Amino acid sequence: MTLAAAVAIVLGAVLTVVAWATASPPGSSPDEDFHITSIWCPSTTDGVCPTRVESGKTQVEVPDLLVDGARCSIFQNAESGACFEDFGHGTVWTSRLNAGGYVGTYYTIMHAFVGTDVLASVFVMRIVNGLLAVALLTALLFLLPRGGGRYLLYTVLPLAVPFAVYIVASVNPSSWAVTGVIVAFFGAYGLFQHVSRARKIGLVVVTLVGALMAAAARADSAAYVGVAIVALAVMFVRLTRSRGTLITVGALAAVLAIGLVGFFASGQSGHVLRGFSGGTAQQTGWTLLFTNMRNVPALLLGFSAVNPNALNWLDTPMPAIVWATAVALACGVGWMGLATMNGRKAVALGGTSLVYVALPLLFLQVSGAKVGSVYQARYTLPLAFVVMATALWSTKDGGAPRMSLTQTSVLVGGLAVAHGVALHTQIRRFVTGLDVTGFDLNRNAEWWHAGPSPMVTWAMGTGGFVLLLAALFLVRREPVGATPSGLPVPVPASEDVTVPLPPTRRARRHPVRTRAAG
């Protein structure tokens, strides 16, 4: 990959996340009033925000745009974002903030971007989260050996439209959950390959950053990091008496430790294990389980925003061309990976798939709820990338099967159309409301910010994503046995990383002796 091509791809990714980050007003993503308030006031004891106790609940005083503004148009997709302009001049007391349910590290870090202008602060936070994902994935592209760039992009891009790219460029902690799990998986994958010492150190750093991001975001995403590491271990690790690599083993142990600590460090882990109370399902027991089993694909395919997994506060459904195309292409890519199978891959794929399917069913069962309530697809979205990566793994092609030119063209064209329509729908939702149709987003706009116009923002994001998709043509030709930068790998990559066992007593007492001829 030439430097010019790499710059164009990164520029495309940046334009994409900036467009999504500025396509909607503050409070538009799910539970954003809770998350923004928690960012503004990450602690109720350090004096950052005025605090009081009312009716047994701790409350903080924040700009009214964070709370009332966030609620003014939710669940009313025919309304534009114009109502947001009525707020931002006063303050309000609210108890909608983190009180131990989340780890809190994410909110503390994001608090550094809080400023006097609420709209600008929220846009900056969204863009920072998007750029963080771009930076880490770019680092992986240059650190991974032997077709690693193809493996990474074949896994991520088919599942990115529209929910992943939308949630990554948001202030929701799920942004770090998605980015962190992907980065931790592929960083750890690189450690199982033969790379130079410098690259291995870089991969260790990137892997640990991904694991820390996931652990800082959500308890369940910290657990998904553990699932990812176990899947990789099943595919690659074997016990032998040869000398292993302490760097790889130590890094994997650290990542697993981070996942465990992140899972149990917050009260959110209790919800993961026990579910939510107050489920409204009339059925119970096996009847409820049977009902949910028939409908759980709606959650498993949530990356495509197929109903009931609409964007924002579940009030912005995507046109059929978006979710139908996204599902078809993702399934096609995953099916391609099933052409190569061995025992280790079968166990890893079966295990990750079982977790991906069973977790929402278990959560709904203990909550007494049906699919479509309580549990949202974004909770297991990070795990979808682990399942796809496991399904795609191929020992013959250095990471992932190589698509033909025709297959690549169909994938690029389909994703470009689905993403363009999704971004257009998202902007339309807040410019005029979904009761207005038409291609020109600038016409009769009821709300927008001081940045580029709605149509310019859409064109910027759509064109940027096409630039990013162009990388699929480049990695398709990436030779096996070469790094993404084109440098040869001196030693062929091994399917396995060997973990050393101590020598036996017999081997120490009776060394092999040779006698000279003659």
Side-chain angles (χ1 to χ4, degrees), residues 31 102 174 218 220-221 224 268 276 359 363 374-383:
D31 297 321
Y102 288 77
S174 293
R218 301 177 55 91
D220 48 10
S221 61
Y224 299 154
Q268 192 186 32
F276 288 115
L359 187 60
F363 193 96
V374 178
Y375 196 92
Q376 297 182 28
R378 62 188 169 95
Y379 300 156
T380 46
L381 179 61
L383 196 56

mmCIF file of all heavy atoms in Angstrom, residues 31 102 174 218 220-221 224 268 276 359 363 374-383:
data_model
loop_
_atom_site.group_PDB
_atom_site.id
_atom_site.type_symbol
_atom_site.label_atom_id
_atom_site.label_comp_id
_atom_site.label_asym_id
_atom_site.label_seq_id
_atom_site.Cartn_x
_atom_site.Cartn_y
_atom_site.Cartn_z
ATOM 1 N N ASP A 31 -30.003 7.033 25.557
ATOM 2 C CA ASP A 31 -29.649 7.379 26.939
ATOM 3 C C ASP A 31 -28.568 8.454 27.004
ATOM 4 O O ASP A 31 -27.804 8.532 27.971
ATOM 5 C CB ASP A 31 -29.176 6.139 27.712
ATOM 6 C CG ASP A 31 -30.253 5.081 27.841
ATOM 7 O OD1 ASP A 31 -31.420 5.461 28.043
ATOM 8 O OD2 ASP A 31 -29.943 3.884 27.717
ATOM 9 N N TYR A 102 -21.768 2.157 36.018
ATOM 10 C CA TYR A 102 -20.641 2.036 35.100
ATOM 11 C C TYR A 102 -19.350 2.247 35.882
ATOM 12 O O TYR A 102 -19.348 2.840 36.964
ATOM 13 C CB TYR A 102 -20.738 3.074 33.987
ATOM 14 C CG TYR A 102 -21.824 2.814 32.978
ATOM 15 C CD1 TYR A 102 -23.163 3.086 33.275
ATOM 16 C CD2 TYR A 102 -21.532 2.299 31.723
ATOM 17 C CE1 TYR A 102 -24.164 2.850 32.349
ATOM 18 C CE2 TYR A 102 -22.529 2.063 30.780
ATOM 19 C CZ TYR A 102 -23.837 2.335 31.112
ATOM 20 O OH TYR A 102 -24.837 2.095 30.199
ATOM 21 N N SER A 174 -20.640 2.837 24.609
ATOM 22 C CA SER A 174 -20.572 1.734 23.658
ATOM 23 C C SER A 174 -19.604 2.031 22.521
ATOM 24 O O SER A 174 -19.145 1.112 21.841
ATOM 25 C CB SER A 174 -21.968 1.442 23.087
ATOM 26 O OG SER A 174 -22.826 0.942 24.099
ATOM 27 N N ARG A 218 -17.798 -0.468 29.527
ATOM 28 C CA ARG A 218 -18.933 -1.253 30.003
ATOM 29 C C ARG A 218 -18.428 -2.562 30.599
ATOM 30 O O ARG A 218 -17.399 -3.093 30.165
ATOM 31 C CB ARG A 218 -19.905 -1.570 28.856
ATOM 32 C CG ARG A 218 -20.492 -0.391 28.144
ATOM 33 C CD ARG A 218 -21.393 -0.846 26.982
ATOM 34 N NE ARG A 218 -22.419 -1.771 27.452
ATOM 35 C CZ ARG A 218 -23.629 -1.398 27.867
ATOM 36 N NH1 ARG A 218 -23.959 -0.120 27.869
ATOM 37 N NH2 ARG A 218 -24.498 -2.287 28.269
ATOM 38 N N ASP A 220 -19.944 -5.496 30.307
ATOM 39 C CA ASP A 220 -20.098 -6.599 29.358
ATOM 40 C C ASP A 220 -19.014 -6.581 28.280
ATOM 41 O O ASP A 220 -18.539 -7.634 27.858
ATOM 42 C CB ASP A 220 -21.491 -6.595 28.727
ATOM 43 C CG ASP A 220 -21.923 -5.233 28.209
ATOM 44 O OD1 ASP A 220 -21.081 -4.319 28.167
ATOM 45 O OD2 ASP A 220 -23.116 -5.083 27.841
ATOM 46 N N SER A 221 -18.593 -5.384 27.831
ATOM 47 C CA SER A 221 -17.540 -5.339 26.823
ATOM 48 C C SER A 221 -16.210 -5.807 27.390
ATOM 49 O O SER A 221 -15.388 -6.376 26.670
ATOM 50 C CB SER A 221 -17.403 -3.932 26.243
ATOM 51 O OG SER A 221 -17.060 -2.982 27.241
ATOM 52 N N TYR A 224 -16.360 -9.390 26.966
ATOM 53 C CA TYR A 224 -16.180 -9.782 25.569
ATOM 54 C C TYR A 224 -14.703 -9.854 25.191
ATOM 55 O O TYR A 224 -14.318 -10.659 24.336
ATOM 56 C CB TYR A 224 -16.885 -8.796 24.638
ATOM 57 C CG TYR A 224 -18.377 -8.709 24.835
ATOM 58 C CD1 TYR A 224 -19.087 -7.555 24.507
ATOM 59 C CD2 TYR A 224 -19.099 -9.780 25.363
ATOM 60 C CE1 TYR A 224 -20.450 -7.464 24.688
ATOM 61 C CE2 TYR A 224 -20.460 -9.696 25.548
ATOM 62 C CZ TYR A 224 -21.139 -8.534 25.217
ATOM 63 O OH TYR A 224 -22.495 -8.457 25.403
ATOM 64 N N GLN A 268 -22.689 -2.553 37.029
ATOM 65 C CA GLN A 268 -23.329 -3.000 35.800
ATOM 66 C C GLN A 268 -23.216 -4.505 35.614
ATOM 67 O O GLN A 268 -24.061 -5.122 34.969
ATOM 68 C CB GLN A 268 -22.703 -2.269 34.617
ATOM 69 C CG GLN A 268 -23.490 -2.433 33.327
ATOM 70 C CD GLN A 268 -22.775 -1.824 32.146
ATOM 71 O OE1 GLN A 268 -21.556 -1.806 32.089
ATOM 72 N NE2 GLN A 268 -23.536 -1.306 31.206
ATOM 73 N N PHE A 276 -32.643 -7.119 34.235
ATOM 74 C CA PHE A 276 -33.376 -5.992 34.790
ATOM 75 C C PHE A 276 -34.700 -6.486 35.363
ATOM 76 O O PHE A 276 -35.284 -7.447 34.883
ATOM 77 C CB PHE A 276 -33.660 -4.939 33.717
ATOM 78 C CG PHE A 276 -32.449 -4.168 33.286
ATOM 79 C CD1 PHE A 276 -31.974 -4.282 31.995
ATOM 80 C CD2 PHE A 276 -31.798 -3.333 34.170
ATOM 81 C CE1 PHE A 276 -30.871 -3.560 31.588
ATOM 82 C CE2 PHE A 276 -30.682 -2.614 33.774
ATOM 83 C CZ PHE A 276 -30.221 -2.726 32.486
ATOM 84 N N LEU A 359 -26.496 -15.089 25.222
ATOM 85 C CA LEU A 359 -26.473 -13.976 26.174
ATOM 86 C C LEU A 359 -27.752 -13.151 26.155
ATOM 87 O O LEU A 359 -28.355 -12.914 27.217
ATOM 88 C CB LEU A 359 -25.245 -13.091 25.906
ATOM 89 C CG LEU A 359 -25.007 -11.980 26.920
ATOM 90 C CD1 LEU A 359 -24.798 -12.560 28.310
ATOM 91 C CD2 LEU A 359 -23.802 -11.140 26.519
ATOM 92 N N PHE A 363 -30.467 -12.994 29.250
ATOM 93 C CA PHE A 363 -30.797 -11.703 29.846
ATOM 94 C C PHE A 363 -32.307 -11.460 29.812
ATOM 95 O O PHE A 363 -32.906 -11.020 30.803
ATOM 96 C CB PHE A 363 -30.063 -10.599 29.090
ATOM 97 C CG PHE A 363 -30.073 -9.276 29.784
ATOM 98 C CD1 PHE A 363 -29.010 -8.876 30.569
ATOM 99 C CD2 PHE A 363 -31.155 -8.409 29.646
ATOM 100 C CE1 PHE A 363 -29.024 -7.645 31.210
ATOM 101 C CE2 PHE A 363 -31.179 -7.181 30.274
ATOM 102 C CZ PHE A 363 -30.105 -6.792 31.062
ATOM 103 N N VAL A 374 -36.125 -3.903 26.916
ATOM 104 C CA VAL A 374 -35.074 -4.081 27.916
ATOM 105 C C VAL A 374 -33.681 -4.243 27.283
ATOM 106 O O VAL A 374 -32.771 -3.486 27.561
ATOM 107 C CB VAL A 374 -35.382 -5.278 28.843
ATOM 108 C CG1 VAL A 374 -34.242 -5.476 29.860
ATOM 109 C CG2 VAL A 374 -36.687 -5.064 29.577
ATOM 110 N N TYR A 375 -33.525 -5.254 26.422
ATOM 111 C CA TYR A 375 -32.210 -5.567 25.871
ATOM 112 C C TYR A 375 -32.071 -4.979 24.478
ATOM 113 O O TYR A 375 -32.922 -5.202 23.612
ATOM 114 C CB TYR A 375 -32.011 -7.084 25.808
ATOM 115 C CG TYR A 375 -30.579 -7.511 25.613
ATOM 116 C CD1 TYR A 375 -29.762 -7.790 26.707
ATOM 117 C CD2 TYR A 375 -30.023 -7.623 24.337
ATOM 118 C CE1 TYR A 375 -28.440 -8.179 26.528
ATOM 119 C CE2 TYR A 375 -28.713 -8.003 24.157
ATOM 120 C CZ TYR A 375 -27.928 -8.281 25.253
ATOM 121 O OH TYR A 375 -26.618 -8.655 25.071
ATOM 122 N N GLN A 376 -30.978 -4.227 24.249
ATOM 123 C CA GLN A 376 -30.740 -3.603 22.952
ATOM 124 C C GLN A 376 -29.569 -4.269 22.233
ATOM 125 O O GLN A 376 -28.634 -4.756 22.866
ATOM 126 C CB GLN A 376 -30.460 -2.107 23.115
ATOM 127 C CG GLN A 376 -31.635 -1.339 23.696
ATOM 128 C CD GLN A 376 -31.351 0.152 23.796
ATOM 129 O OE1 GLN A 376 -30.569 0.707 23.034
ATOM 130 N NE2 GLN A 376 -31.995 0.797 24.759
ATOM 131 N N ALA A 377 -29.617 -4.234 20.922
ATOM 132 C CA ALA A 377 -28.594 -4.911 20.112
ATOM 133 C C ALA A 377 -27.206 -4.335 20.344
ATOM 134 O O ALA A 377 -26.208 -5.038 20.177
ATOM 135 C CB ALA A 377 -28.961 -4.807 18.637
ATOM 136 N N ARG A 378 -27.102 -3.063 20.736
ATOM 137 C CA ARG A 378 -25.780 -2.475 20.938
ATOM 138 C C ARG A 378 -25.019 -3.125 22.083
ATOM 139 O O ARG A 378 -23.798 -3.014 22.163
ATOM 140 C CB ARG A 378 -25.899 -0.963 21.179
ATOM 141 C CG ARG A 378 -26.689 -0.563 22.416
ATOM 142 C CD ARG A 378 -26.896 0.956 22.440
ATOM 143 N NE ARG A 378 -27.855 1.359 23.457
ATOM 144 C CZ ARG A 378 -27.528 1.759 24.674
ATOM 145 N NH1 ARG A 378 -26.250 1.820 25.015
ATOM 146 N NH2 ARG A 378 -28.456 2.114 25.546
ATOM 147 N N TYR A 379 -25.719 -3.815 22.974
ATOM 148 C CA TYR A 379 -25.034 -4.464 24.091
ATOM 149 C C TYR A 379 -24.118 -5.586 23.611
ATOM 150 O O TYR A 379 -23.044 -5.803 24.171
ATOM 151 C CB TYR A 379 -26.050 -5.026 25.089
ATOM 152 C CG TYR A 379 -26.969 -3.997 25.709
ATOM 153 C CD1 TYR A 379 -28.214 -4.350 26.222
ATOM 154 C CD2 TYR A 379 -26.616 -2.655 25.762
ATOM 155 C CE1 TYR A 379 -29.067 -3.404 26.785
ATOM 156 C CE2 TYR A 379 -27.458 -1.706 26.317
ATOM 157 C CZ TYR A 379 -28.688 -2.093 26.825
ATOM 158 O OH TYR A 379 -29.533 -1.157 27.379
ATOM 159 N N THR A 380 -24.543 -6.326 22.599
ATOM 160 C CA THR A 380 -23.722 -7.426 22.088
ATOM 161 C C THR A 380 -23.051 -7.087 20.761
ATOM 162 O O THR A 380 -22.396 -7.941 20.162
ATOM 163 C CB THR A 380 -24.574 -8.699 21.895
ATOM 164 O OG1 THR A 380 -25.798 -8.359 21.235
ATOM 165 C CG2 THR A 380 -24.875 -9.356 23.222
ATOM 166 N N LEU A 381 -23.177 -5.843 20.300
ATOM 167 C CA LEU A 381 -22.568 -5.450 19.027
ATOM 168 C C LEU A 381 -21.069 -5.729 18.986
ATOM 169 O O LEU A 381 -20.568 -6.234 17.966
ATOM 170 C CB LEU A 381 -22.848 -3.967 18.757
ATOM 171 C CG LEU A 381 -22.250 -3.390 17.464
ATOM 172 C CD1 LEU A 381 -22.800 -4.116 16.245
ATOM 173 C CD2 LEU A 381 -22.549 -1.890 17.372
ATOM 174 N N PRO A 382 -20.298 -5.436 20.046
ATOM 175 C CA PRO A 382 -18.852 -5.737 19.969
ATOM 176 C C PRO A 382 -18.566 -7.209 19.707
ATOM 177 O O PRO A 382 -17.601 -7.553 19.013
ATOM 178 C CB PRO A 382 -18.328 -5.298 21.344
ATOM 179 C CG PRO A 382 -19.314 -4.294 21.837
ATOM 180 C CD PRO A 382 -20.634 -4.774 21.320
ATOM 181 N N LEU A 383 -19.399 -8.079 20.257
ATOM 182 C CA LEU A 383 -19.170 -9.513 20.095
ATOM 183 C C LEU A 383 -19.416 -9.971 18.664
ATOM 184 O O LEU A 383 -18.859 -10.987 18.225
ATOM 185 C CB LEU A 383 -20.064 -10.285 21.066
ATOM 186 C CG LEU A 383 -19.722 -11.752 21.330
ATOM 187 C CD1 LEU A 383 -18.288 -11.897 21.829
ATOM 188 C CD2 LEU A 383 -20.693 -12.349 22.341
#
